[in-house]
Amino acid sequence: MPIIGPGHDDPEYDNYDPAWETQDSPFRRWLFEKFTAAEFECEADAAGIYAPANRYNGLDDTQMGLIATLTGVSIDAVRAAHKADLADWGREQQLRDHPDLAVLDADLDRIGHRS
């Protein structure tokens, strides 16, 4: 399938990561679950389209409305999953930028699991 628009190596795609096409993320899992529950035939493909778009370009109201219609959930539910994914991604980026925080994060997770 030909690429419509700029290719992945064009400056417009700065910070594009091809791994996003297969990367597991909270939004991808949420989408897959909702598309599966709605008996959408191509749930993995749909999740593979919208999950990277969510992180790279964000989702506009039209896209969120389409996801809500296809999955049978409210736009607010899509928006909440979208925001949760971006928060998770932000945390991931922070850990990548400051690897020393990974030790603190692991320790906090350990403390949290003890409670």
Side-chain angles (χ1 to χ4, degrees):
M1 174 183 236
I3 295 175
I4 298 172
H8 299 307
D9 58 347
D10 289 336
E12 183 177 331
Y13 282 96
D14 286 348
N15 298 321
Y16 172 80
D17 183 352
W20 285 354
E21 294 176 16
T22 56
Q23 181 184 42
D24 185 36
S25 69
F27 194 57
R28 182 184 295 264
R29 289 188 302 272
W30 183 89
L31 285 168
F32 185 80
E33 175 187 315
K34 298 304 178 191
F35 281 127
T36 300
E39 299 181 0
F40 194 78
E41 290 184 21
C42 303
E43 63 275 345
D45 292 336
I49 291 168
Y50 286 113
N54 182 52
R55 287 192 172 187
Y56 188 66
N57 296 319
L59 298 175
D60 62 25
D61 289 340
T62 302
Q63 291 167 315
M64 286 191 204
L66 179 59
I67 292 169
T69 300
L70 293 173
T71 59
V73 301
S74 70
I75 290 178
D76 288 337
V78 176
R79 189 171 286 116
H82 153 80
K83 287 181 179 181
D85 187 61
L86 293 182
D88 182 76
W89 187 40
R91 183 171 167 260
E92 195 178 292
Q93 296 306 308
Q94 186 180 32
L95 291 174
R96 285 186 183 156
D97 293 343
H98 303 284
D100 53 316
L101 292 178
V103 174
L104 174 61
D105 182 58
D107 194 41
L108 292 174
D109 284 346
R110 181 185 54 76
I111 292 168
H113 291 306
R114 278 192 319 203
S115 310

